[in-house]
Amino acid sequence: MSQSDKLVIAGREFTSRLMVGTGKYASNEQMLQSLEASGAQIITVAVRRVNLDRSKESLLDFIDLKKYTLLPNTAGCYTADDAIRTCRLAREAGMSDFVKLEVLGDEKTLFPENEELLKAAKVLVKEGFTVLPYTSDDPIMCKKLEDIGCAAVMPLGAPIGSGLGIRNPYNIRIILDTVKVPVIVDAGVGTASDAAIAMELGCHGVLMNTGIAGAKDPVAMAEAMNLAVRAGRLAYLAGRIPKKLYATASSPIEGLVE
């Protein structure tokens, strides 16, 4: 795959199309090994789970911020006001103004609360944040988020942590046809084939946490996800053959000499 094939978000260029979370690992050492194996350049950190008092030990002490682009997220927020406050806190603490915006609807499904999401996104965009919103796989909502200035849209593949894979590839394809900003599948990826499918659909990237951190061997799964995202992107660029009901001979008989 050409080095010129880069993911561009709000003018920032990345050679990796895999984004990885930092939660749920057995240890910080395992997290760091998994991040390295994933090849990710963008890593997400839940602002509410980070000790922002830098005089005390924090998750951020273990992360090389020269190597990784930090993407603070608003996990655990259920209202626009909470999400906005969390993003402002992250920026004031020097984390980033490049944020993954989550506004959840309920604790059982962790589906996004799209009305509150849209409200929060409008405010944050006006305040100069680069907003990457986690949303439902709804083309209309994705278009609304693009129209108010979000730098990308992040439709779910399946519920957070479910490992169900891409449940509605047809909606994802419609979203890709509807918006011009990058489309990054967020949530639901359980194994390497799920990531490859997302990329083969034409998605610009995949974000995951549990699929790696929850595996029996997170470091090995991180490497598998790395390879899957790259393979899926390459297959998309190569252009797959059309599906047919009947066979087409690999070695045509036309032109054969009897």
Side-chain angles (χ1 to χ4, degrees):
M1 193 157 51
S2 170
Q3 286 296 309
S4 63
D5 179 46
K6 296 179 180 179
L7 172 63
V8 181
I9 302 175
R12 306 187 196 193
E13 295 185 349
F14 304 93
T15 55
S16 173
R17 293 175 180 271
L18 175 59
M19 305 179 188
V20 179
T22 53
K24 301 183 179 180
Y25 291 95
S27 66
N28 286 323
E29 181 182 5
Q30 186 186 72
M31 175 195 70
L32 292 175
Q33 290 174 346
S34 298
L35 294 179
E36 181 69 26
S38 75
Q41 294 171 302
I42 299 174
I43 60 172
T44 69
V45 175
V47 178
R48 290 187 162 198
R49 298 191 182 101
V50 173
N51 185 354
L52 297 179
D53 182 355
R54 300 311 296 272
S55 66
K56 300 178 181 178
E57 185 175 271
S58 166
L59 173 68
L60 300 181
D61 296 330
F62 297 89
I63 297 171
D64 184 353
L65 298 181
K66 294 180 180 178
K67 182 175 183 179
Y68 299 107
T69 295
L70 208 59
L71 184 64
N73 71 60
T74 59
C77 293
Y78 289 84
T79 67
D81 287 344
D82 273 352
I84 293 166
R85 190 179 308 114
T86 301
C87 288
R88 289 170 177 166
L89 181 62
R91 182 159 66 181
E92 288 169 8
M95 290 178 72
S96 183
D97 58 4
F98 189 54
V99 296
K100 176 189 170 187
L101 179 62
E102 295 183 28
V103 185
L104 303 176
D106 66 74
E107 294 183 3
K108 185 176 181 179
T109 66
L110 300 181
F111 280 161
E113 213 298 352
N114 283 328
E115 290 183 12
E116 292 292 292
L117 177 71
L118 198 61
K119 188 189 303 183
K122 287 178 180 178
V123 172
L124 293 170
V125 168
K126 287 181 180 178
E127 292 185 5
F129 286 89
T130 299
V131 180
L132 284 67
Y134 160 68
T135 183
S136 55
D137 55 351
D138 176 0
I140 305 302
M141 178 54 62
C142 287
K143 181 59 178 170
K144 287 181 178 180
L145 290 164
E146 178 188 42
D147 287 346
I148 65 171
C150 290
V153 292
M154 307 181 80
L156 57 83
I160 293 173
S162 68
L164 289 173
I166 312 301
R167 296 199 304 173
N168 195 337
Y170 303 102
N171 273 28
I172 299 296
R173 288 177 62 181
I174 295 171
I175 291 168
L176 287 162
D177 286 341
T178 302
V179 302
K180 294 182 174 62
V181 294
V183 176
I184 300 161
V185 165
D186 180 13
V189 172
T191 192
S193 58
D194 298 332
I197 287 170
M199 298 306 296
E200 288 173 3
L201 287 170
C203 292
H204 302 85
V206 181
L207 189 152
M208 64 186 75
N209 188 171
T210 308
I212 293 175
K216 290 181 180 179
D217 185 338
V219 179
M221 184 60 81
E223 183 178 0
M225 294 296 191
N226 181 357
L227 295 170
V229 168
R230 291 164 56 195
R233 177 64 177 177
L234 191 57
Y236 170 73
L237 294 175
R240 65 157 294 143
I241 63 170
K243 295 181 180 180
K244 299 177 182 179
L245 184 60
Y246 294 102
T248 302
S250 297
S251 300
I253 61 172
E254 291 83 358
L256 291 181
V257 178
E258 295 185 4

